[in-house]
C-alpha cells in the first residue's frame, strides 16, 4: 500500500532533491503535492489528505513550526517531519510540543532520511491498522450489538474478564449509564420453560416481562447465559431492596401456573461495573445456602450476611476450581492448605461451624459440576450436602480437609479424561443437529439429549469453543436464515417467522429489528 506525502520547502532545489535522491516509492510513499508557499499548502491540506508532511522550518511566509501547528488542526492524525538548517534545541523542543514526529538537520544525510521514512511508514501502518480495527469494531457493534453486549457482560460476570475497548464501544452505541453506579444483580434460573410455545420465544418474552417489572424500581440492563437470565438493576433506592425481592418472588410464583419453574438470587448493593463478578458470588452464595436449607442469619451461620461475605474465602474457592480444571495436583494441595488455615481468633465468635460451611460450599460446587461429566462413580455424595450429615461423618477439620482434597482430585481426573474425548467432535455433532433442526422448537436440552451428553457439559463447550451461548447461536442462525427467505422467496413475513422457528410473529419481529436495526419489511425493500 502506498501512503501520501506532502513536501514543503521555500527552496525548490530541496524539494527536487528529495524526490530524485530518495526514491520515495521504494519506501511506500507517493507524492501528493509539493509547495514552496506554506499558506497555499495549508489551503490544499484537506483535499490532498497526506499521511506524511515534510516541511522546512525557515520560510518567509510562515515559520515551519507555525505551519505544523496549523496543519495539526486540519489533519490531526498526519505525521509531520521538520527539516532545519540550524541545530537549535529550542526548535526541537517546540516541535515535540506541537506533536511533530521527527526533526532532521540540513544538509540531509541519506541514511538519516531513509531511516526516518521507514519509521514514519511503520507508524502510519500501525495507526491505519488501529483505525481499521476501530472501524471494524464499530461496524461489528452496530450489526451485532446484542451479541457483543451479552458476551461483554457474561465474561465480566462469570469470568471477571473486563474488555475496556468493547465496553467503550457499547456505551457509545447504546449510551447507557451503567458504569460506576451502585447496583443489584439479579439471577433468574430457568429450571423449566413451558413447551406449549417455542422455547426461544417463551424465554424472550419472560425476559421482557421481568425487565418491565424491574423498570418500576430503577434502570435495567439484561443479558443471559444458557442456564440463567441476568438483570443489573441500578439507579435504585436501597430502601426498596426488599420490595424488589418480594416483587420478583411474586412473579416467579405466578409463572408456575403457566408451566415455568424459576429460581431467583439477589446480590448485595455493589458499586461499579467491575463489581459484577463479586455480585455474582453474592448470588451463588445465596443459592448455595438455599440448596442446604440454611438461612444466612440462622444459628448455623451466626452473624449477618456482610460478616459471612467477609470471612468465607470465595477467592480461594475460585482458585481451587481453576486448579481442578487444569488438573494441577500441587496447586490443589496448596490452595486447600490455604483455605483450611486458621482464619483468626475472632472466627469462632462469628461462626460455630466455619470450616463446615466452607466444606459444604466446595462439595456442593463439586456435586453440581460432576453432572457435566460422565464419571464412573459419584464424586461428591448427595447425602453430604446436609450439614448435619457432614458434621457427623467428618467431625474434624482434618477429616473435612482430606475429604475436599480427595473429591477435588477425583473431579480433576474426570475433567482431564473428558478433555481427551475430542470436544470439537461433540461441538461439530451439536452444530450439525442445530443446523438441521433450527426451525423446530429446539432447546439446549434437546441437543444434549440427541447427542447423548449432559446439558451442562454442552453449555460449557459452547462457551469455550464457539465463544457464544447456545441461545445466541440459534438466534443468529435464525436471523440469517430469515434474511435468506426474505431475499430469495415471496414468503409472507409471518411465514418467514414460522419457517425459522418462531411461532410468535410479533416477538420475532422485535428480535429481528433488535439484531439488525431494521424491520422485516424494510429489510426486504433494501434488496
Amino acid at each position: 500500500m502506498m501512503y501520501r506525502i506532502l513536501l514543503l520547502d521555500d527552496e525548490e532545489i530541496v524539494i527536487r532533491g528529495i524526490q530524485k535522491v530518495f526514491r520515495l516509492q521504494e519506501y511506500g510513499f507517493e507524492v501528493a503535492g509539493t509547495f514552496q508557499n506554506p499558506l497555499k499548502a495549508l489551503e490544499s491540506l484537506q483535499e490532498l489528505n497526506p499521511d506524511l508532511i515534510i516541511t522546512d522550518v525557515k520560510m518567509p511566509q510562515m515559520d515551519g513550526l507555525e505551519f505544523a501547528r496549523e496543519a495539526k488542526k486540519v489533519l490531526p492524525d498526519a505525521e509531520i517531519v521538520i527539516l532545519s538548517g540550524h541545530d537549535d534545541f529550542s526548535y526541537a523542543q517546540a516541535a515535540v510540543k506541537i506533536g511533530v514526529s521527527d526533526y532532521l538537520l540540513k544538509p540531509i544525510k541519506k541514511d538519516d532520511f531513509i531511516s526516518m521514512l521507514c519509521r514514519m511508514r511503520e507508524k502510519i501502518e500501525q495507526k491505519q491498522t488501529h483505525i481499521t480495527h476501530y472501524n471494524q469494531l464499530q461496524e461489528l457493534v452496530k450489526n451485532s450489538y446484542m451479541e457483543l453486549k451479552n458476551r461483554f457482560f457474561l465474561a465480566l460476570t462469570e469470568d471477571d474478564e473486563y474488555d475496556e475497548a468493547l465496553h467503550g464501544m457499547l456505551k457509545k452505541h447504546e449510551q447507557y449509564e451503567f458504569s460506576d453506579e451502585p447496583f443489584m444483580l439479579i439471577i433468574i434460573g430457568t429450571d423449566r420453560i413451558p413447551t406449549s410455545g417455542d422455547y426461544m420465544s417463551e424465554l424472550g418474552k419472560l425476559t421482557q416481562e421481568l425487565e418491565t417489572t424491574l423498570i418500576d424500581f430503577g434502570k435495567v440492563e439484561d443479558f443471559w447465559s444458557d442456564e440463567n437470565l441476568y438483570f443489573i438493576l441500578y439507579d435504585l433506592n436501597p430502601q426498596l431492596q426488599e420490595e424488589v425481592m418480594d416483587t420478583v418472588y411474586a412473579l416467579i410464583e405466578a409463572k408456575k401456573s403457566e408451566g415455568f419453574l424459576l429460581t431467583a438470587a439477589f446480590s448485595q448493593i455493589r458499586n461499579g461495573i467491575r463489581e459484577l463478578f463479586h455480585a455474582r458470588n453474592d448470588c451463588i452464595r445465596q443459592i448455595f445456602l438455599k440448596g442446604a436449607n440454611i438461612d444466612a442469619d440462622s444459628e448455623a451461620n451466626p452473624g449477618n450476611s456482610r460478616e459471612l461475605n467477609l470471612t468465607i474465602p470465595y477467592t480461594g474457592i475460585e482458585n481451587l476450581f481453576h486448579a481442578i480444571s487444569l488438573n494441577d495436583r500441587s496447586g490443589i494441595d496448596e490452595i486447600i492448605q490455604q483455605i483450611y488455615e486458621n482464619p483468626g481468633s475472632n472466627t469462632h465468635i462469628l461462626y460455630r461451624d466455619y470450616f463446615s460451611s466452607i466444606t459444604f460450599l466446595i462439595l456442593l460446587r463439586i456435586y453440581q459440576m460432576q453432572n457435566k461429566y460422565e464419571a464412573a462413580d459419584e464424586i461428591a455424595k448427595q447425602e453430604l450436602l446436609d450439614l448435619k450429615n457432614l458434621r457427623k461423618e467428618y467431625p474434624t477439620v482434618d477429616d473435612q480437609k482430606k475429604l475436599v482434597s480427595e473429591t477435588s482430585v477425583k473431579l480433576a481426573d474426570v475433567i482431564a479424561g473428558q478433555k481427551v474425548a475430542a470436544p470439537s467432535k461433540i461441538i461439530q455433532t451439536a452444530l450439525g443437529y442445530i443446523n438441521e433442526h433450527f426451525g423446530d422448537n429446539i432447546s439446549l436440552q434437546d441437543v444434549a439429549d440427541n447427542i447423548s451428553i449432559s446439558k451442562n457439559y454442552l453449555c460449557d463447550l459452547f462457551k469455550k469453543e464457539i465463544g457464544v451461548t447456545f441461545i445466541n447461536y440459534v438466534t443468529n442462525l435464525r436471523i440469517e436464515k430469515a434474511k435468506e427467505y426474505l431475499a430469495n422467496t415471496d414468503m409472507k413475513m409471518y411465514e418467514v417467522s414460522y419457517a425459522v422457528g418462531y411461532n410468535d410473529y410479533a416477538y420475532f419481529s422485535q428480535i429481528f429489528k433488535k439484531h439488525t436495526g431494521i424491520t422485516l419489511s424494510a429489510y426486504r425493500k433494501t434488496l
Side-chain angles (χ1 to χ4, degrees), residues 199-314:
Y199 175 83
M200 306 290 276
S201 294
E202 292 295 340
L203 196 60
K205 288 186 287 186
L206 172 64
T207 303
Q208 291 176 346
E209 187 173 355
L210 283 160
E211 184 173 356
T212 301
T213 300
L214 292 171
I215 282 174
D216 291 338
F217 298 96
K219 296 175 182 176
V220 184
E221 286 291 335
D222 66 84
F223 56 104
W224 58 88
S225 69
D226 287 324
E227 298 169 314
N228 300 309
L229 304 178
Y230 292 87
F231 298 89
I232 303 168
L233 180 60
Y234 63 105
D235 200 13
L236 163 73
N237 183 341
Q239 295 180 347
L240 297 179
Q241 270 184 277
E242 292 294 332
E243 188 176 344
V244 170
M245 295 169 67
D246 291 343
T247 301
V248 172
Y249 283 135
L251 182 112
I252 286 175
E253 186 64 29
K255 298 300 285 184
K256 285 182 180 179
S257 62
E258 299 177 27
F260 288 88
L261 182 58
L262 309 172
T263 56
F266 304 83
S267 77
Q268 301 176 29
I269 296 294
R270 294 280 183 173
N271 291 301
I273 196 168
R274 298 302 299 270
E275 288 286 308
L276 273 170
F277 181 72
H278 299 296
R280 176 176 175 265
N281 281 345
D282 291 344
C283 294
I284 288 173
R285 167 188 166 273
Q286 193 178 108
I287 293 167
F288 281 164
L289 296 179
K290 282 182 181 177
N293 294 317
I294 303 171
D295 184 340
D297 297 319
S298 71
E299 185 182 351
N301 291 284
N304 60 32
S305 61
R306 182 179 300 275
E307 291 168 334
L308 178 61
N309 196 49
L310 288 171
T311 307
I312 296 293
Y314 288 108

Side-chain angles (χ1 to χ4, degrees), residues 152-164:
F152 169 77
F153 278 117
L154 205 57
L156 185 55
T157 304
E158 295 193 348
D159 303 317
D160 201 21
E161 294 177 359
Y162 174 67
D163 188 330
E164 185 174 3

Side-chain angles (χ1 to χ4, degrees), residues 84-97:
S84 175
H86 304 282
D87 189 4
D88 191 330
F89 183 66
S90 63
Y91 272 116
Q93 281 185 311
V96 169
K97 289 181 180 179

Side-chain angles (χ1 to χ4, degrees), residues 38-63:
L39 296 176
K40 290 185 177 180
L42 277 175
E43 290 175 1
S44 304
L45 273 184
Q46 198 158 19
E47 179 185 351
L48 296 175
N49 193 27
D51 301 294
L52 174 61
I53 300 170
I54 298 179
T55 177
D56 189 19
V57 166
K58 296 289 186 180
M59 293 179 289
Q61 298 92 344
M62 179 185 284
D63 182 275

Side-chain angles (χ1 to χ4, degrees), residues 198 200-202 204-205 208 438 474-486 492-516 518-521:
D198 64 272
M200 306 290 276
S201 294
E202 292 295 340
K205 288 186 287 186
Q208 291 176 346
F438 72 90
V474 175
T475 301
N476 291 336
L477 178 60
R478 287 176 168 181
I479 295 294
E480 292 307 311
K481 292 293 183 181
K483 288 179 181 178
E484 290 180 21
Y485 290 140
L486 290 169
K492 295 178 180 178
M493 304 302 175
Y494 71 86
E495 292 175 331
V496 172
S497 175
Y498 292 155
V500 298
Y502 287 98
N503 296 332
D504 188 325
Y505 168 62
Y507 176 70
F508 175 65
S509 299
Q510 293 177 34
I511 289 294
F512 189 89
K513 185 176 181 180
K514 190 175 282 189
H515 280 255
T516 65
I518 191 171
T519 64
L520 287 159
S521 58

Side-chain angles (χ1 to χ4, degrees), residues 11 34 100 182-183 263 277 300 378-379 456 478 492 520 522:
E11 297 182 46
T34 62
V100 169
F183 70 94
T263 56
F277 181 72
E378 189 177 34
I379 300 171
N456 291 332
R478 287 176 168 181
K492 295 178 180 178
L520 287 159

